[in-house]
Amino acid sequence: MNFDNLKNFMDSLTDWVIPGNSAAVYKDGKKVFEYSSGFSDVKKQIPKTADDLIYIYSCSKIATVTAALQLYERGKFLLTDPLYEYIPEFKEMYISNGEKAKNPITMRHLFTMTAGLSYNTETAVFEKARKLTNGKMNTLSVIRCLADDPLQFEPGCGWSYSLCHDVLAAAVEVISGKRFSEYMKENIFEPLGMDKACYHVDKDKLSCQYIYDTGGAKDVVTLQNSTAAKGIVKDAGKDNSLVFGEEYESGGAGIITTVNDYAKLAAALANKGKGINGERILGTGTVELLKTNQLNEVQMKGYTWRRLAGYGYGMGVRTMTDRAAAGSNGSVGEFGWGGAAGANVLMDTDLNLAVVYAHHMLNPQEEYYQPRLRNVIYSCL
């Protein structure tokens, strides 16, 4: 193995517009690469490290579906179970055209983003939840209010990236009888030795978060080739817009952690459910289910993100189904997900390979860096 290509690619990103980045790679349960480039704080010129606390946004989904699948393994629910058996507010749902939904939302729909929910967080139900919770916005109360919003489509009849995994977190609370963060700590974080992962932290401890001002450019190629665009990076503060209040624990975007810390979960899933410390968090067959494409032809019509050409969608993760369509030098079955500030997780059970990469910049240029990062990683092996 030679990771010069990965090191050089990370440097090229920080030479471009990414303020700083870090990566950790595990192969066969051993860390074989760790590197950081650029700065965690540009103004103070503080170097980036793989131990910086960051928001991983939607990479949180990987931990959430892992936790929910533990309960599935314990016989606590079936994928065909209606969601309303656990959160009754979802018993009668309506579509945005005013028609009553014919089918209930099932647990499978939550895992696979096929429930018909959206990512619109500006609807009246959030104000209702704020009043109900005196602004604290505990997870289960918010999700119960969310049931008042109409669906985009009949459950199971499409794919739409949405708050499905936030709803799944609320279902974990109900099914386990524990607060979501408590369940995660006891069943995912502590068993794997992830002592940095949490849902709320003093913001002074967080790495700086940035946003890239595109200057009106419409696509990443224009940005990459634009000398004038270099360095137009602004401080974006330390808020996560998908954490709605002090008690909200977002299954879809709430985890704060470090690259080194989250790599322990990635390494466990790449090793078919067994952590680098020997702790098993999921069974081998369950990991296979997790990374198996769950979408049918109709649902795949909504799954059109350009960077995910050649991928299907499993239980909350992209999963490689067609190397030619993806233009990938990796394995069929490679799986993972990315986050809104540039975190990205790649796992491969065939090679027992796990990679966590992250920068901390909103509008992170995923169309550019994600497929290239994947190809570079596999070249290093």
Side-chain angles (χ1 to χ4, degrees), residues 44-129:
K44 296 180 180 178
Q45 296 284 282
I46 299 173
K48 187 84 174 124
T49 80
D51 293 315
D52 291 335
L53 276 176
I54 58 172
Y55 293 118
I56 59 169
Y57 288 93
S58 286
C59 285
S60 304
K61 293 174 168 69
I62 297 169
T64 297
V65 297
T66 299
L69 284 171
Q70 288 180 331
L71 296 171
Y72 156 90
E73 286 189 328
R74 296 166 193 167
K76 299 294 186 180
F77 69 88
L78 296 173
L79 294 175
T80 51
D81 285 351
L83 172 60
Y84 66 71
E85 290 187 0
Y86 308 103
I87 307 178
E89 286 80 1
F90 287 88
K91 174 88 174 185
E92 283 193 352
M93 298 300 294
Y94 286 83
I95 315 297
S96 56
N97 63 9
E99 294 181 5
K100 186 176 178 180
K102 300 179 180 67
N103 303 308
I105 296 172
T106 67
M107 296 298 287
R108 182 190 299 277
H109 294 149
L110 295 182
F111 280 100
T112 60
M113 295 284 180
T114 58
L117 299 171
S118 76
Y119 242 131
N120 184 357
T121 60
E122 301 297 325
T123 68
V125 302
F126 290 91
E127 187 56 35
K128 174 184 174 182

Coordinates of all heavy atoms in Angstrom, one line a residue, residues 44-129:
K44 N -6.5 32.0 12.7 CA -5.4 31.8 13.7 C -4.3 30.9 13.2 O -3.4 30.6 13.9 CB -6.1 31.2 15.0 CG -7.0 32.2 15.7 CD -7.6 31.5 16.9 CE -8.6 32.5 17.6 NZ -9.2 31.9 18.9
Q45 N -4.5 30.3 12.0 CA -3.5 29.4 11.4 C -3.3 28.2 12.2 O -2.1 27.8 12.4 CB -2.2 30.2 11.1 CG -2.3 31.3 10.1 CD -2.4 30.8 8.6 OE1 -1.4 30.4 8.0 NE2 -3.6 30.8 8.1
I46 N -4.4 27.7 12.8 CA -4.2 26.4 13.6 C -4.3 25.2 12.7 O -5.3 25.1 11.9 CB -5.4 26.4 14.7 CG1 -5.3 27.6 15.6 CG2 -5.3 25.0 15.4 CD1 -6.4 27.7 16.6
P47 N -3.3 24.4 12.6 CA -3.3 23.2 11.7 C -4.5 22.3 11.9 O -4.9 22.1 13.1 CB -2.0 22.6 12.0 CG -1.1 23.6 12.6 CD -2.1 24.5 13.4
K48 N -5.0 21.7 10.9 CA -6.1 20.7 11.0 C -5.5 19.4 11.5 O -4.3 19.0 11.2 CB -6.6 20.5 9.6 CG -7.8 19.6 9.5 CD -9.1 20.4 9.8 CE -10.3 19.6 9.6 NZ -11.2 19.6 10.8
T49 N -6.3 18.7 12.3 CA -5.9 17.4 12.8 C -7.1 16.4 12.7 O -8.3 16.9 12.6 CB -5.4 17.4 14.2 OG1 -6.5 17.4 15.1 CG2 -4.5 18.6 14.5
A50 N -6.9 15.1 12.7 CA -7.9 14.1 12.7 C -8.6 14.0 14.0 O -9.5 13.2 14.2 CB -7.3 12.8 12.2
D51 N -8.2 14.8 15.0 CA -8.8 14.8 16.3 C -9.6 16.1 16.6 O -10.1 16.3 17.7 CB -7.8 14.6 17.4 CG -7.1 13.2 17.4 OD1 -7.8 12.2 17.2 OD2 -5.9 13.2 17.5
D52 N -9.8 16.9 15.6 CA -10.7 18.1 15.7 C -12.2 17.6 15.8 O -12.6 16.8 15.0 CB -10.5 19.0 14.5 CG -9.2 19.6 14.4 OD1 -8.5 19.8 15.5 OD2 -8.7 20.0 13.3
L53 N -12.9 18.3 16.7 CA -14.3 18.0 16.8 C -15.1 18.7 15.7 O -14.9 19.9 15.5 CB -14.9 18.5 18.1 CG -14.7 17.6 19.3 CD1 -15.2 18.3 20.6 CD2 -15.5 16.3 19.1
I54 N -15.9 18.0 14.9 CA -16.6 18.6 13.8 C -18.0 18.0 13.8 O -18.3 17.0 14.3 CB -15.9 18.2 12.5 CG1 -15.8 16.7 12.3 CG2 -14.5 18.9 12.4 CD1 -15.3 16.3 10.9
Y55 N -18.9 18.8 13.1 CA -20.2 18.2 12.7 C -20.0 17.3 11.5 O -19.4 17.7 10.5 CB -21.1 19.3 12.2 CG -21.6 20.3 13.3 CD1 -21.3 21.6 13.2 CD2 -22.3 19.9 14.4 CE1 -21.7 22.6 14.1 CE2 -22.7 20.8 15.4 CZ -22.4 22.1 15.2 OH -22.9 23.0 16.2
I56 N -20.5 16.1 11.6 CA -20.4 15.2 10.4 C -21.7 15.2 9.6 O -21.9 14.4 8.6 CB -20.0 13.8 10.8 CG1 -20.9 13.1 11.8 CG2 -18.5 13.8 11.3 CD1 -20.7 11.6 12.0
Y57 N -22.7 15.9 10.1 CA -24.0 16.0 9.4 C -24.5 14.7 9.0 O -24.7 13.8 9.8 CB -23.9 17.0 8.2 CG -23.8 18.5 8.7 CD1 -22.5 19.0 8.8 CD2 -24.9 19.2 9.0 CE1 -22.4 20.4 9.3 CE2 -24.8 20.6 9.4 CZ -23.5 21.1 9.5 OH -23.4 22.4 10.0
S58 N -24.8 14.4 7.7 CA -25.5 13.2 7.3 C -24.7 11.9 7.4 O -25.3 10.9 7.3 CB -26.0 13.4 5.9 OG -27.1 14.3 5.8
C59 N -23.4 12.0 7.7 CA -22.7 10.8 8.0 C -23.2 10.2 9.3 O -23.0 9.0 9.6 CB -21.2 11.1 8.1 SG -20.4 11.3 6.5
S60 N -23.9 11.0 10.1 CA -24.6 10.5 11.3 C -25.6 9.4 11.0 O -25.8 8.5 11.8 CB -25.4 11.7 12.0 OG -24.6 12.8 12.3
K61 N -26.1 9.4 9.8 CA -27.1 8.4 9.4 C -26.6 7.0 9.5 O -27.3 6.1 9.8 CB -27.6 8.7 8.0 CG -28.4 10.0 7.8 CD -28.7 10.3 6.4 CE -29.8 11.4 6.3 NZ -29.3 12.7 6.7
I62 N -25.3 6.8 9.2 CA -24.7 5.5 9.3 C -24.8 4.9 10.7 O -25.1 3.8 10.9 CB -23.2 5.6 8.8 CG1 -23.1 6.0 7.4 CG2 -22.5 4.2 9.0 CD1 -21.7 6.3 6.9
A63 N -24.5 5.8 11.7 CA -24.6 5.3 13.1 C -26.1 5.1 13.5 O -26.4 4.1 14.2 CB -24.0 6.3 14.0
T64 N -27.0 5.9 13.0 CA -28.4 5.8 13.3 C -29.0 4.5 12.8 O -29.7 3.8 13.5 CB -29.2 7.0 12.8 OG1 -28.7 8.2 13.4 CG2 -30.7 6.8 13.0
V65 N -28.7 4.2 11.5 CA -29.3 2.9 11.0 C -28.6 1.7 11.6 O -29.3 0.7 11.8 CB -29.2 2.9 9.4 CG1 -30.0 4.0 8.8 CG2 -27.7 2.9 9.0
T66 N -27.4 1.8 12.0 CA -26.7 0.7 12.7 C -27.4 0.5 14.0 O -27.7 -0.7 14.4 CB -25.2 1.1 13.0 OG1 -24.6 1.2 11.7 CG2 -24.5 0.0 13.7
A67 N -27.7 1.5 14.8 CA -28.4 1.4 16.1 C -29.8 0.8 15.9 O -30.2 -0.1 16.6 CB -28.5 2.7 16.7
A68 N -30.5 1.2 14.9 CA -31.9 0.7 14.6 C -31.8 -0.8 14.2 O -32.6 -1.6 14.6 CB -32.6 1.5 13.6
L69 N -30.8 -1.1 13.5 CA -30.7 -2.5 13.0 C -30.3 -3.4 14.2 O -30.6 -4.6 14.2 CB -29.6 -2.7 11.9 CG -30.1 -2.2 10.5 CD1 -29.0 -2.1 9.5 CD2 -31.3 -3.1 10.0
Q70 N -29.7 -2.9 15.2 CA -29.4 -3.7 16.4 C -30.8 -4.1 17.0 O -30.9 -5.3 17.5 CB -28.6 -2.9 17.5 CG -27.2 -2.7 17.1 CD -26.5 -1.9 18.2 OE1 -27.1 -1.1 18.9 NE2 -25.2 -2.1 18.3
L71 N -31.7 -3.2 17.1 CA -33.0 -3.5 17.6 C -33.8 -4.5 16.7 O -34.5 -5.4 17.2 CB -33.9 -2.2 17.8 CG -33.3 -1.2 18.8 CD1 -34.0 0.1 18.8 CD2 -33.3 -1.8 20.2
Y72 N -33.6 -4.4 15.4 CA -34.1 -5.4 14.5 C -33.6 -6.7 14.8 O -34.3 -7.7 14.8 CB -33.8 -4.9 13.1 CG -33.7 -5.9 12.0 CD1 -34.9 -6.3 11.3 CD2 -32.5 -6.6 11.7 CE1 -34.8 -7.2 10.3 CE2 -32.4 -7.5 10.7 CZ -33.6 -7.9 10.0 OH -33.5 -8.8 9.0
E73 N -32.3 -6.8 15.1 CA -31.6 -8.1 15.4 C -32.2 -8.7 16.6 O -32.2 -9.9 16.8 CB -30.1 -7.9 15.5 CG -29.4 -7.7 14.2 CD -27.9 -7.8 14.4 OE1 -27.4 -7.4 15.5 OE2 -27.2 -8.2 13.4
R74 N -32.6 -7.9 17.5 CA -33.1 -8.4 18.8 C -34.6 -8.7 18.8 O -35.3 -9.0 19.8 CB -32.9 -7.3 19.9 CG -31.4 -7.1 20.2 CD -31.1 -5.8 21.0 NE -29.7 -5.5 20.9 CZ -29.2 -4.3 21.3 NH1 -30.0 -3.4 21.8 NH2 -27.9 -4.1 21.2
G75 N -35.2 -8.6 17.6 CA -36.6 -9.0 17.4 C -37.6 -7.9 17.9 O -38.8 -8.2 18.0
K76 N -37.1 -6.7 18.0 CA -38.0 -5.6 18.5 C -38.9 -5.1 17.5 O -39.9 -4.5 17.8 CB -37.1 -4.5 19.1 CG -36.2 -4.9 20.2 CD -37.0 -5.3 21.5 CE -36.1 -5.5 22.6 NZ -36.8 -5.9 23.9
F77 N -38.6 -5.3 16.2 CA -39.5 -4.8 15.1 C -39.1 -5.6 13.8 O -38.0 -6.2 13.7 CB -39.4 -3.3 14.9 CG -38.1 -2.9 14.3 CD1 -37.9 -2.8 12.9 CD2 -37.1 -2.4 15.1 CE1 -36.7 -2.4 12.4 CE2 -35.9 -2.0 14.6 CZ -35.7 -2.0 13.2
L78 N -40.1 -5.6 12.9 CA -39.8 -6.1 11.5 C -39.8 -4.9 10.6 O -40.4 -3.9 10.9 CB -40.9 -7.1 11.1 CG -41.1 -8.4 11.9 CD1 -42.3 -9.1 11.4 CD2 -39.8 -9.2 11.7
L79 N -39.1 -5.1 9.5 CA -39.1 -4.0 8.5 C -40.4 -3.7 7.9 O -40.7 -2.6 7.4 CB -38.1 -4.3 7.4 CG -36.6 -4.4 7.8 CD1 -35.7 -4.9 6.7 CD2 -36.1 -3.1 8.4
T80 N -41.3 -4.6 7.9 CA -42.7 -4.5 7.4 C -43.6 -3.8 8.4 O -44.8 -3.5 8.1 CB -43.2 -5.8 7.0 OG1 -43.1 -6.8 8.0 CG2 -42.5 -6.3 5.7
D81 N -43.2 -3.6 9.6 CA -44.1 -3.0 10.7 C -44.4 -1.6 10.3 O -43.6 -0.8 9.9 CB -43.4 -3.0 12.0 CG -43.3 -4.3 12.7 OD1 -43.9 -5.3 12.2 OD2 -42.6 -4.4 13.7
P82 N -45.7 -1.2 10.4 CA -46.1 0.2 10.2 C -45.5 1.0 11.3 O -45.4 0.7 12.5 CB -47.6 0.1 10.4 CG -48.0 -1.3 10.2 CD -46.9 -2.1 10.7
L83 N -45.0 2.2 10.9 CA -44.4 3.2 11.9 C -45.4 3.5 13.0 O -45.0 3.7 14.1 CB -44.0 4.4 11.1 CG -43.5 5.6 12.0 CD1 -42.3 5.3 12.8 CD2 -43.2 6.8 11.0
Y84 N -46.7 3.6 12.6 CA -47.7 4.0 13.6 C -47.8 3.0 14.8 O -48.3 3.4 15.9 CB -49.1 4.2 13.0 CG -49.8 3.0 12.5 CD1 -50.3 2.1 13.3 CD2 -49.9 2.9 11.1 CE1 -51.0 0.9 12.8 CE2 -50.6 1.8 10.6 CZ -51.1 0.8 11.4 OH -51.8 -0.3 10.9
E85 N -47.3 1.8 14.7 CA -47.3 0.9 15.8 C -46.4 1.5 17.0 O -46.5 1.1 18.1 CB -46.8 -0.5 15.4 CG -47.8 -1.2 14.6 CD -47.5 -2.6 14.3 OE1 -46.4 -3.1 14.8 OE2 -48.2 -3.3 13.6
Y86 N -45.4 2.3 16.6 CA -44.5 2.9 17.6 C -44.7 4.4 17.8 O -44.5 4.8 18.9 CB -43.0 2.6 17.1 CG -42.8 1.1 16.7 CD1 -42.8 0.7 15.4 CD2 -42.8 0.2 17.8 CE1 -42.7 -0.7 15.1 CE2 -42.6 -1.2 17.5 CZ -42.6 -1.6 16.2 OH -42.5 -3.0 15.9
I87 N -45.1 5.1 16.8 CA -45.4 6.5 16.9 C -46.8 6.7 16.3 O -47.0 6.9 15.1 CB -44.4 7.4 16.2 CG1 -43.0 7.0 16.6 CG2 -44.7 8.8 16.4 CD1 -41.9 7.8 16.0
P88 N -47.9 6.6 17.1 CA -49.3 6.5 16.6 C -49.7 7.7 15.8 O -50.6 7.6 14.9 CB -50.1 6.5 17.9 CG -49.2 5.9 18.9 CD -47.8 6.4 18.6
E89 N -49.0 8.9 15.9 CA -49.3 10.1 15.2 C -49.2 9.9 13.6 O -49.8 10.6 12.9 CB -48.4 11.2 15.6 CG -48.8 11.8 16.9 CD -48.2 11.0 18.1 OE1 -47.6 10.0 17.9 OE2 -48.5 11.5 19.3
F90 N -48.5 8.8 13.2 CA -48.3 8.5 11.8 C -49.4 7.6 11.3 O -49.2 7.0 10.2 CB -46.9 8.0 11.5 CG -45.8 9.1 11.6 CD1 -45.2 9.4 12.8 CD2 -45.4 9.8 10.5 CE1 -44.2 10.3 12.9 CE2 -44.5 10.7 10.6 CZ -43.9 11.0 11.8
K91 N -50.4 7.4 12.0 CA -51.5 6.4 11.6 C -52.2 6.8 10.3 O -52.4 6.0 9.4 CB -52.5 6.2 12.7 CG -53.7 5.4 12.4 CD -53.5 3.9 12.7 CE -54.7 3.1 12.5 NZ -54.6 1.7 12.8
E92 N -52.6 8.1 10.3 CA -53.3 8.6 9.1 C -52.5 9.7 8.5 O -52.3 10.7 9.1 CB -54.7 9.2 9.5 CG -55.8 8.1 9.7 CD -57.2 8.7 9.8 OE1 -57.3 10.0 9.7 OE2 -58.1 7.9 9.8
M93 N -52.0 9.4 7.3 CA -51.1 10.4 6.6 C -51.8 10.8 5.3 O -52.6 10.1 4.7 CB -49.8 9.7 6.3 CG -49.0 9.3 7.5 SD -48.6 10.7 8.6 CE -47.5 11.7 7.6
Y94 N -51.5 12.1 4.9 CA -52.1 12.6 3.7 C -50.9 13.0 2.8 O -49.8 13.4 3.2 CB -52.9 13.8 4.0 CG -54.3 13.4 4.7 CD1 -54.4 13.2 6.0 CD2 -55.4 13.3 3.9 CE1 -55.5 12.8 6.6 CE2 -56.6 12.9 4.4 CZ -56.7 12.6 5.8 OH -57.9 12.2 6.4
I95 N -51.2 12.9 1.5 CA -50.3 13.3 0.4 C -50.5 14.8 0.2 O -51.5 15.4 0.5 CB -50.5 12.5 -0.9 CG1 -50.7 11.1 -0.5 CG2 -49.4 12.7 -1.8 CD1 -49.6 10.4 0.1
S96 N -49.5 15.5 -0.4 CA -49.5 16.9 -0.6 C -50.6 17.3 -1.5 O -51.1 18.5 -1.5 CB -48.2 17.4 -1.2 OG -47.8 16.7 -2.3
N97 N -51.2 16.4 -2.4 CA -52.3 16.7 -3.2 C -53.7 16.6 -2.5 O -54.7 16.8 -3.1 CB -52.3 15.8 -4.4 CG -52.5 14.3 -4.1 OD1 -52.8 14.0 -2.9 ND2 -52.4 13.4 -5.0
G98 N -53.6 16.4 -1.2 CA -54.8 16.3 -0.4 C -55.4 15.0 -0.2 O -56.3 14.8 0.6
E99 N -54.9 14.0 -0.9 CA -55.5 12.6 -0.8 C -54.9 11.9 0.4 O -53.8 12.1 0.8 CB -55.2 11.8 -2.1 CG -55.9 12.3 -3.3 CD -55.5 11.5 -4.6 OE1 -54.9 10.5 -4.4 OE2 -56.0 11.9 -5.7
K100 N -55.7 11.1 1.0 CA -55.3 10.3 2.1 C -54.4 9.2 1.6 O -54.7 8.5 0.5 CB -56.5 9.6 2.8 CG -56.1 8.9 4.1 CD -57.4 8.4 4.8 CE -57.0 7.6 6.0 NZ -58.2 7.1 6.7
A101 N -53.3 8.9 2.3 CA -52.3 7.9 1.8 C -53.0 6.5 2.0 O -53.7 6.2 3.0 CB -51.1 7.9 2.7
K102 N -52.8 5.7 1.0 CA -53.4 4.3 1.0 C -52.6 3.4 1.8 O -53.1 2.4 2.4 CB -53.5 3.8 -0.5 CG -54.4 4.6 -1.4 CD -54.4 4.1 -2.8 CE -55.3 4.9 -3.7 NZ -54.7 6.2 -4.0
N103 N -51.3 3.6 1.9 CA -50.4 2.6 2.6 C -49.7 3.3 3.8 O -49.4 4.5 3.7 CB -49.3 2.2 1.6 CG -49.8 1.5 0.4 OD1 -50.6 0.6 0.5 ND2 -49.4 1.9 -0.8
P104 N -49.5 2.6 4.8 CA -48.8 3.2 6.0 C -47.3 3.3 5.7 O -46.7 2.6 4.9 CB -49.1 2.2 7.1 CG -49.2 0.9 6.4 CD -49.9 1.2 5.1
I105 N -46.7 4.2 6.4 CA -45.2 4.3 6.4 C -44.7 3.1 7.2 O -45.2 2.8 8.3 CB -44.7 5.6 7.0 CG1 -45.1 6.8 6.2 CG2 -43.2 5.5 7.2 CD1 -44.8 8.1 6.8
T106 N -43.8 2.3 6.6 CA -43.2 1.2 7.4 C -41.8 1.5 7.9 O -41.2 2.5 7.4 CB -43.1 -0.1 6.5 OG1 -42.2 0.2 5.4 CG2 -44.5 -0.4 5.9
M107 N -41.3 0.7 8.7 CA -39.9 0.8 9.2 C -38.9 0.8 8.0 O -38.0 1.5 8.0 CB -39.6 -0.2 10.2 CG -40.4 -0.1 11.5 SD -40.2 1.4 12.4 CE -38.6 1.2 13.1
R108 N -39.2 -0.1 7.0 CA -38.3 -0.2 5.9 C -38.3 1.2 5.1 O -37.2 1.6 4.7 CB -38.8 -1.3 4.9 CG -37.9 -1.4 3.7 CD -38.5 -2.3 2.6 NE -38.7 -3.7 3.2 CZ -37.8 -4.6 3.2 NH1 -36.5 -4.4 2.8 NH2 -38.1 -5.8 3.7
H109 N -39.4 1.8 5.0 CA -39.5 3.1 4.3 C -38.6 4.1 5.0 O -38.0 5.0 4.3 CB -40.9 3.6 4.3 CG -41.9 2.8 3.5 ND1 -43.2 2.7 3.8 CD2 -41.6 2.0 2.4 CE1 -43.8 1.9 2.9 NE2 -42.9 1.5 2.0
L110 N -38.5 4.1 6.3 CA -37.6 5.0 7.0 C -36.1 4.8 6.7 O -35.4 5.7 6.4 CB -37.8 4.9 8.5 CG -39.2 5.3 9.1 CD1 -39.2 5.2 10.6 CD2 -39.6 6.7 8.6
F111 N -35.7 3.5 6.8 CA -34.4 3.2 6.5 C -34.0 3.6 5.0 O -32.9 4.0 4.8 CB -34.1 1.7 6.6 CG -33.9 1.1 8.0 CD1 -35.0 0.5 8.7 CD2 -32.7 1.2 8.6 CE1 -34.8 0.0 9.9 CE2 -32.5 0.7 9.9 CZ -33.6 0.1 10.6
T112 N -34.9 3.4 4.1 CA -34.6 3.5 2.7 C -35.0 4.9 2.0 O -34.9 5.0 0.8 CB -35.2 2.4 1.9 OG1 -36.7 2.5 2.1 CG2 -34.7 1.0 2.4
M113 N -35.4 5.8 2.8 CA -35.8 7.2 2.3 C -37.0 7.1 1.3 O -37.1 7.9 0.4 CB -34.6 7.9 1.7 CG -33.5 8.2 2.6 SD -33.9 9.6 3.7 CE -32.4 9.8 4.6
T114 N -37.9 6.1 1.5 CA -39.0 6.0 0.6 C -40.3 6.2 1.3 O -41.4 5.8 0.8 CB -39.0 4.5 0.0 OG1 -39.0 3.6 1.1 CG2 -37.8 4.3 -0.8
A115 N -40.3 6.9 2.4 CA -41.6 7.2 3.2 C -42.4 8.3 2.6 O -43.6 8.4 2.9 CB -41.2 7.5 4.6
G116 N -41.8 9.2 1.8 CA -42.5 10.3 1.2 C -42.3 11.6 2.0 O -42.9 12.6 1.8
L117 N -41.5 11.5 3.1 CA -41.1 12.7 3.9 C -40.2 13.6 3.1 O -39.7 13.3 2.0 CB -40.4 12.3 5.2 CG -41.2 11.4 6.1 CD1 -40.4 10.9 7.2 CD2 -42.4 12.1 6.7
S118 N -40.0 14.8 3.6 CA -39.1 15.8 2.9 C -38.1 16.3 3.9 O -38.0 15.9 5.1 CB -39.9 17.0 2.4 OG -40.3 17.8 3.5
Y119 N -37.2 17.2 3.4 CA -36.2 17.9 4.3 C -36.6 19.3 4.5 O -35.8 20.2 4.8 CB -34.8 17.8 3.7 CG -33.9 17.0 4.6 CD1 -33.1 16.0 4.1 CD2 -33.7 17.3 6.0 CE1 -32.2 15.3 4.9 CE2 -32.9 16.6 6.8 CZ -32.1 15.6 6.2 OH -31.2 14.9 7.0
N120 N -37.9 19.7 4.4 CA -38.4 21.0 4.6 C -38.5 21.2 6.1 O -39.4 20.7 6.7 CB -39.7 21.2 3.9 CG -40.2 22.7 4.0 OD1 -39.6 23.5 4.7 ND2 -41.3 23.0 3.4
T121 N -37.7 22.1 6.7 CA -37.7 22.3 8.1 C -38.3 23.7 8.4 O -38.2 24.2 9.5 CB -36.3 22.2 8.7 OG1 -35.5 23.2 8.0 CG2 -35.7 20.9 8.5
E122 N -39.0 24.3 7.4 CA -39.6 25.6 7.6 C -41.1 25.6 7.7 O -41.8 26.6 7.6 CB -39.2 26.5 6.5 CG -37.7 26.7 6.3 CD -37.0 27.4 7.5 OE1 -37.7 28.2 8.1 OE2 -35.9 27.0 7.9
T123 N -41.7 24.4 7.9 CA -43.1 24.3 7.9 C -43.7 24.6 9.3 O -42.9 24.7 10.3 CB -43.6 22.9 7.5 OG1 -43.2 21.9 8.6 CG2 -43.0 22.4 6.2
A124 N -45.0 24.8 9.4 CA -45.6 25.2 10.7 C -45.4 24.2 11.8 O -45.5 24.6 13.0 CB -47.1 25.4 10.4
V125 N -45.2 22.9 11.4 CA -45.1 21.9 12.5 C -43.9 22.2 13.4 O -43.9 21.8 14.6 CB -45.0 20.5 11.9 CG1 -46.2 20.2 11.1 CG2 -43.7 20.2 11.2
F126 N -42.9 22.8 12.9 CA -41.7 23.1 13.7 C -42.0 24.2 14.7 O -41.5 24.1 15.9 CB -40.5 23.4 12.9 CG -40.0 22.2 12.1 CD1 -40.4 21.9 10.8 CD2 -39.1 21.3 12.7 CE1 -40.0 20.8 10.1 CE2 -38.6 20.2 12.0 CZ -39.1 19.9 10.7
E127 N -42.8 25.2 14.3 CA -43.2 26.2 15.3 C -44.1 25.6 16.3 O -44.0 25.9 17.5 CB -43.9 27.3 14.5 CG -44.2 28.5 15.4 CD -43.0 29.1 16.1 OE1 -41.9 29.1 15.5 OE2 -43.1 29.6 17.3
K128 N -45.0 24.7 15.9 CA -45.8 24.0 16.9 C -45.0 23.2 17.9 O -45.3 23.2 19.1 CB -46.7 23.0 16.1 CG -47.6 22.1 17.0 CD -48.4 21.1 16.1 CE -49.1 20.1 17.0 NZ -49.9 19.1 16.2
A129 N -43.9 22.5 17.4 CA -43.1 21.8 18.3 C -42.3 22.7 19.3 O -42.1 22.4 20.4 CB -42.1 20.9 17.5

